[in-house]
Amino acid sequence: MYLNNKMTIEEVDIKGKRVFIRADLNVPLDGNQNITDDTRIRFTLPTINYAIDEGAKVILCSHLGRPKGKRIEQFSLVPVAKRLQRLLNKEVIFANDCVGKEVEDIVAKMKAGDVLLLENLRFHSGEEANDEAFSKSLAKLADVYVNDAFGAAHRNHSSISGITKYVPVAVAGFLMKKEIGYLEGAVANPVRPFAAVLGGAKVSGKIGVIENLGEKVDKVIIGGGMAFTFIKAMGQEVGDSLVEEGMLEFANKIRKKAQERGVKFYLPVDCVVATSMDPGAETKIVTTQEIPKGWKALDIGPASVKLFAEAIANAKTIIWNGPMGVFEMDAFSRGTFAIARTIADSYATTIVGGGDTSLAAHRAGISDAFSFVSTGGGAALQLLEGKPLPGLTALADRKL
């Protein structure tokens, strides 16, 4: 268990110190550089406000988009600085770079309670390369390093793992603590019955999660494109639906293993099919045994929604990772949104595992109804697979 032995921000003295917070401020922007969803900024406010209240000099850093080591203005953090200023209701100093003498001079002039946001880390190729010199340059700005970027904790980058070798102390922030607590706690000590609702396009992207959760849950519910690899593995025809031929044997093995352990394993019984993914394409609802040749399944159908809803009705813990269909298109969104509402309305502890799943919850307008919505897609998956996160293993161990 990560949190039992990793130090957190409230366990170190930060008064008057330069507290370097790695946040995940990678927010979506429209064509006019306006922030369209500031959830990630809001989620890191408790850590920032704590550091301000404790009289620290707060230095924030983050990546935004994929500029690939070049300075590209559309990926500047200037809009984030403006939004932060409004949310914190205080001045946020902005640095035009994240390393170098100019930045060091700004930091040297900071007073207790000041907040500085550095420019996009990924404007330097050294960030993603976990370059030693770049890591040392970042470390020069810090007395205390705080990782509050759960969404990037699975990356072996300079600002995530490299910097920790060169700072006096490296600890977790409040968001990191909350994310790990929910995701790890749910898997390690779930209140039962424990159900995993897994979707998304491919089995191959969720192998580790399916294997790890399959050992711990009481029910597995499979939707999305990946369901049709399982259905084909059972010998059924699935028309032109997405199937990973190389995963058929694995799918059968997982299903049989789950059943041997007494785990209830659910697959769709009907689906919404179309000849193409075009918004205007003809659609119909058919059973999974009757998908016509030339048609592809793009969402679960109403009978599957009812079956899945009944399956999770008595669950006390539910982890949901992956949509039930191509929810970005209206014609194929019903299954995902219906399951989202069913999970949100349940009396269980409900955990949404980041990425497309949190976007689906957001689009359904019910994000607030879940016990916890993770900010990290890849990091949440890695944790649910039972794999270590570089951003966590690099932090200081608590002296027991």
Side-chain angles (χ1 to χ4, degrees):
M1 293 280 288
Y2 275 130
L3 283 178
N4 285 351
N5 64 349
K6 291 298 177 187
M7 288 181 72
T8 54
I9 187 170
E10 69 265 57
E11 295 173 72
V12 289
D13 177 21
I14 60 173
K15 189 174 177 61
K17 292 187 177 170
R18 300 171 303 160
V19 174
F20 188 96
I21 300 173
R22 174 45 160 111
D24 182 4
L25 308 174
N26 184 27
V27 291
L29 300 167
D30 64 18
N32 298 314
Q33 297 302 95
N34 295 312
I35 295 169
T36 56
D37 179 5
D38 65 3
T39 304
R40 282 181 168 160
I41 303 174
R42 289 175 184 275
F43 276 17
T44 205
L45 292 178
T47 300
I48 299 168
N49 279 319
Y50 175 82
I52 293 168
D53 292 346
E54 290 293 305
K57 300 165 186 177
V58 182
I59 300 140
L60 296 166
C61 71
S62 178
H63 70 284
L64 179 68
R66 294 191 170 129
K68 299 193 174 154
K70 295 189 180 73
R71 189 178 185 96
I72 300 171
E73 289 311 313
Q74 76 184 79
F75 295 121
S76 172
L77 283 166
V78 167
V80 174
K82 289 177 183 168
R83 182 63 56 93
L84 256 176
Q85 195 153 285
R86 197 163 65 189
L87 292 170
L88 291 170
N89 198 22
K90 71 175 281 146
E91 185 196 0
V92 172
I93 308 159
F94 185 75
N96 287 316
D97 206 342
C98 56
V99 289
K101 187 173 184 316
E102 195 181 319
V103 178
E104 289 165 26
D105 288 347
I106 296 170
V107 171
K109 290 175 190 159
M110 287 177 76
K111 297 187 288 295
D114 282 353
V115 178
L116 167 68
L117 175 63
L118 306 179
E119 185 53 286
N120 194 339
L121 293 159
R122 289 188 184 172
F123 282 177
H124 292 262
S125 58
E127 163 64 359
E128 292 184 86
N130 198 7
D131 176 71
E132 188 179 359
F134 187 69
S135 298
K136 284 179 175 174
S137 296
L138 292 173
K140 270 190 196 177
L141 309 173
D143 297 317
V144 175
Y145 168 82
V146 179
N147 192 338
D148 212 29
F150 176 75
H154 60 307
R155 307 280 187 202
N156 225 335
H157 292 173
S158 275
S159 67
I160 299 292
S161 53
I163 185 175
T164 62
K165 298 173 193 158
Y166 310 108
V167 291
V169 63
V171 299
F174 293 124
L175 176 61
M176 182 71 82
K177 182 180 174 182
K178 191 176 177 185
E179 292 266 7
I180 302 294
Y182 263 102
L183 287 166
E184 201 174 45
V187 176
N189 301 300
V191 180
R192 297 186 181 276
F194 178 20
V197 180
L198 302 173
K202 295 186 172 181
V203 177
S204 55
K206 301 262 168 86
I207 288 176
V209 177
I210 296 167
E211 283 187 316
N212 191 39
L213 288 182
E215 300 286 316
K216 299 176 169 70
V217 298
D218 303 300
K219 301 179 183 191
V220 177
I221 294 154
I222 306 272
M226 63 195 272
F228 296 93
T229 297
F230 281 91
I231 290 167
K232 175 126 190 223
M234 291 162 68
Q236 291 183 29
E237 285 305 313
V238 293
D240 282 0
S241 304
L242 179 67
V243 169
E244 290 178 278
E245 298 291 341
M247 287 282 127
L248 295 174
E249 201 177 315
F250 170 81
N252 254 342
K253 187 182 89 180
I254 284 291
R255 186 175 53 80
K256 285 174 181 164
K257 201 170 164 190
Q259 286 164 344
E260 282 163 15
R261 286 187 61 252
V263 173
K264 291 185 173 143
F265 200 93
Y266 298 85
L267 288 164
V269 290
D270 66 342
C271 50
V272 180
V273 296
T275 49
S276 73
M277 250 200 263
D278 295 331
E282 182 194 349
T283 65
K284 55 185 177 183
I285 296 165
V286 297
T287 67
T288 50
Q289 289 106 320
E290 298 174 312
I291 302 169
K293 282 188 175 156
W295 292 66
K296 55 186 80 174
L298 297 170
D299 192 13
I300 60 170
S304 302
V305 168
K306 194 163 185 284
L307 173 71
F308 292 177
E310 285 169 1
I312 57 181
N314 73 333
K316 296 290 188 294
T317 306
I318 303 168
I319 283 184
W320 174 31
N321 187 281
M324 299 291 104
V326 187
F327 74 94
E328 297 89 347
M329 300 175 75
D330 182 60
F332 314 116
S333 65
R334 309 286 187 281
T336 297
F337 292 162
I339 293 302
R341 283 189 288 272
T342 301
I343 296 170
D345 289 343
S346 75
Y347 289 102
T349 296
T350 52
I351 297 162
V352 176
D356 284 344
T357 326
S358 56
L359 178 60
H362 186 68
R363 291 238 178 121
I366 51 171
S367 293
D368 294 345
F370 296 95
S371 307
F372 187 70
V373 178
S374 175
T375 59
L381 278 178
Q382 203 155 308
L383 201 65
L384 292 175
E385 283 176 34
K387 289 182 183 172
L389 298 174
L392 264 292
T393 52
L395 301 181
D397 288 329
R398 186 178 287 132
K399 291 173 181 64
L400 300 172

